[in-house]
Amino acid sequence: MKALDYDIIVAGGGTAGAAAAIAAARRGWHVLLVEEQNCLGGTSTTGGVGEWFASLEGMGDIFDTTVRELERFGARYGNQKVFNHEYLKIIWQLLAEQAGVELLFHASVFGVSKDSDTLTEVQIACASQILAARARFFIDATGEGDLSYLAGAPFMQGDPDSGAVLHMTLTAWLYDTGEIQEPYLPEGLTPISGPEELPGLGTGWVVDAHRVYLNATKVMGHDPTDPFSLSAAEREARRQLTRVVAYVQCHKFPTYALAATGASIGIREGRRILGEHVLTQDEILNRTDPLIFEDGIAVGTSQVDFHSLTQPGASGWRKRVAPYNIPFRCLMVKGFPNLLTAGKCISTDQVVHSSCRMTPTCCATGQAAGTAAALALEMQVNALRDISVPRLRAILSTEGIELDPRKHQAYAPNDELS
Ligand SMILES: Cc1cc2nc3c(=O)[nH]c(=O)nc-3n(C[C@H](O)[C@H](O)[C@H](O)COP(=O)(O)OP(=O)(O)OC[C@H]3O[C@@H](n4cnc5c(N)ncnc54)[C@H](O)[C@@H]3O)c2cc1C
């Protein structure tokens, strides 16, 4: 099998991967973006999560373009941070095409070849074929850190004692039929008798005159990196969702019916790949002044949004944090000179992850990773540690990432969990 040749390969076309690929390709490099699903956007499209949580300013021109294009489509609900994610699929695709990214959908990275610790090739399962693709630099934006894991990189996952990760959620959108619905539960599904029995974050909210967004299932105790556990989570989520829909039809939205569910269960947390620095809660909590790192390539602004790992319902804790830099070292996979992470699998502890996993922040780390890989090629270095970080930061600044945490607002709107 002859290997395809690229400059940069990005595994995973969620927010971070799409931004990484666009950032690298628009600097003129030949970039392959490999995505398991049929579109870009990941959790924020196929996961049905049409909402942002974090400040939207200073997250980079790629993120700004997605916001602006959603507004032009009329797909952003007023001034809310909620949007029609179907349009985001179109927007990401067009942006990637314009940048010249080679898109490979229905394609799963399942293997890696290395020369010592340098990645040389990935193997991809795609449309009943096995492809091999080579590149100089690789970016793992798979959310769960699949590429780094396959390469043998060290990782962290879940609570340090129990290993439990934040719960998964199958999201859903309801539409107003204009007629009273007759709630129905197939045999084996018991009705929810009161609010105390709701599995997750309440009963959804109206986003416009005709639509309700339900982020209301809570599947705990499953591992998104274990194939059978992940499938069990999808099944459990659909059972929960059927019960929640019947409940809201009885108690809150009598004329609404199910319009769509996420194409995939939403995974809040998987592997966090060990980088050259692990950003920890000791660093970001309990401080009032912004946290600055000389190699900061993005800024986290969201409150820590930590759901209970064991209790159902809207349980958990939130904490406002002063804006903090995310160091480039959190994207540099420890011991792997030509591999970066981006998005929710970067190197943090579980608490920090609960702040920087938000979509706008993932977009910024994606843009930074793609730009860094491109810069490595431009500087003709073989290892990402050899790029000029000041130069990387200068490029990111001109491209709309506000790197000074003092110029950001902490984002902690209320007691919402997301
Ligand atoms: C229910 C829920 C509610 C949320 N609410 C909010 C909110 O209100 N506001 C907010 O800002 N954030 C929210 N988040 C968090 C946010 O949506 C995600 O953390 C963020 O979108 C993650 O982006 P990412 O690009 O890092 O990963 P993902 O979006 O997970 O993208 C990873 C991509 O990689 C692909 N992939 C995985 N493995 C492979 C492989 N081996 N080969 C090829 N492709 C692969 C996947 O198909 C996916 O498209 C929520 C998350 C969930 C689950």
Side-chain angles (χ1 to χ4, degrees):
M1 183 181 27
K2 186 173 176 307
L4 305 162
D5 255 312
Y6 294 88
D7 297 314
I8 297 166
I9 292 176
V10 181
T15 303
I22 291 165
R26 69 185 183 182
R27 296 186 72 80
W29 299 102
H30 192 27
V31 179
L32 177 69
L33 176 51
V34 186
E35 168 52 47
E36 265 177 1
Q37 305 264 356
N38 69 341
C39 63
L40 301 179
T43 306
S44 61
T45 55
T46 56
V49 178
E51 51 179 334
W52 298 298
F53 205 84
S55 54
L56 306 188
E57 285 76 38
M59 295 293 149
D61 58 353
I62 297 175
F63 181 73
D64 292 345
T65 308
T66 63
V67 176
R68 190 192 64 226
E69 290 297 291
L70 281 167
E71 284 166 354
R72 288 183 175 166
F73 269 117
R76 189 172 169 197
Y77 299 113
N79 280 332
Q80 297 181 58
K81 296 201 170 182
V82 185
F83 54 86
N84 182 335
H85 60 280
E86 288 300 327
Y87 286 98
L88 191 55
K89 296 178 183 174
I90 302 167
I91 293 165
W92 274 128
Q93 178 183 320
L94 295 179
L95 288 178
E97 287 169 354
Q98 281 156 17
V101 176
E102 176 117 48
L103 291 170
L104 198 57
F105 289 140
H106 300 289
S108 185
V109 172
F110 72 91
V112 174
S113 300
K114 294 184 291 184
D115 179 2
S116 183
D117 286 332
T118 299
L119 274 61
T120 54
E121 178 187 291
V122 289
Q123 291 88 42
I124 304 163
C126 179
S128 317
Q129 295 191 25
I130 302 297
L131 305 177
R134 300 175 67 83
R136 296 270 308 281
F137 292 94
F138 294 80
I139 298 173
D140 182 352
T142 59
E144 282 66 69
D146 286 11
L147 174 58
S148 310
Y149 169 75
L150 291 167
F155 66 92
M156 306 157 274
Q157 189 170 348
D159 177 86
D161 296 324
S162 68
V165 294
L166 295 178
H167 70 276
M168 292 180 247
T169 293
L170 181 64
T171 61
W173 293 73
L174 311 183
Y175 73 104
D176 190 356
T177 65
E179 291 171 11
I180 300 291
Q181 300 297 291
E182 193 66 48
Y184 166 67
L185 282 176
E187 203 181 323
L189 295 183
T190 53
I192 293 171
S193 58
E196 67 289 346
E197 279 188 22
L198 285 166
L201 305 178
T203 49
W205 61 91
V206 177
V207 296
D208 70 5
H210 309 287
R211 268 168 290 203
V212 160
Y213 172 55
L214 269 184
N215 170 356
T217 55
K218 185 168 189 177
V219 181
M220 294 178 291
H222 289 269
D223 178 353
T225 65
D226 174 314
F228 286 97
S229 187
L230 180 58
S231 288
E234 291 275 11
R235 292 185 288 118
E236 166 62 16
R238 209 168 296 283
R239 282 195 299 271
Q240 282 187 16
L241 182 71
T242 312
R243 296 170 68 230
V244 172
V245 171
Y247 179 84
V248 299
Q249 286 174 331
C250 284
H251 298 281
K252 194 168 173 189
F253 302 118
T255 58
Y256 282 70
L258 189 56
T261 58
S264 165
I265 195 167
I267 299 171
R268 285 185 175 75
E269 183 190 358
R271 300 182 192 93
R272 289 170 278 112
I273 304 302
L274 188 68
E276 294 293 341
H277 181 83
V278 182
L279 196 59
T280 64
Q281 57 175 317
D282 290 343
E283 289 169 297
I284 75 160
L285 294 183
N286 306 319
R287 55 185 299 140
T288 49
D289 53 320
L291 176 62
I292 298 173
F293 285 102
E294 274 184 16
D295 65 337
I297 45 74
V299 172
T301 62
S302 166
Q303 67 187 17
V304 172
D305 195 35
F306 202 90
H307 301 259
S308 168
L309 301 173
T310 52
Q311 299 300 311
S315 47
W317 58 275
R318 292 132 234 130
K319 195 164 172 50
R320 168 189 287 267
V321 294
Y324 57 90
N325 266 144
I326 298 171
F328 182 52
R329 286 163 293 151
C330 290
L331 277 55
M332 295 171 66
V333 179
K334 198 169 183 59
F336 290 81
N338 68 339
L339 175 61
L340 290 171
T341 54
K344 68 188 180 198
C345 58
I346 65 171
S347 181
T348 69
D349 70 11
Q350 192 182 30
V351 169
V352 176
H353 168 272
S354 265
S355 163
C356 70
R357 69 187 172 88
M358 300 308 167
T359 303
T361 323
C362 289
C363 198
T365 59
Q367 182 170 338
T371 308
L375 188 56
L377 291 163
E378 282 153 39
M379 295 181 65
Q380 301 184 349
V381 297
N382 293 324
L384 289 150
R385 64 175 167 271
D386 294 331
I387 67 168
S388 160
V389 175
R391 196 158 146 203
L392 172 63
R393 280 168 50 90
I395 297 169
L396 297 175
S397 293
T398 57
E399 293 179 348
I401 300 189
E402 175 51 73
L403 295 172
D404 185 345
R406 292 166 298 194
K407 296 192 177 149
H408 285 266
Q409 299 287 323
Y411 187 77
N414 48 38
D415 272 357
E416 279 173 49
L417 285 165
S418 61

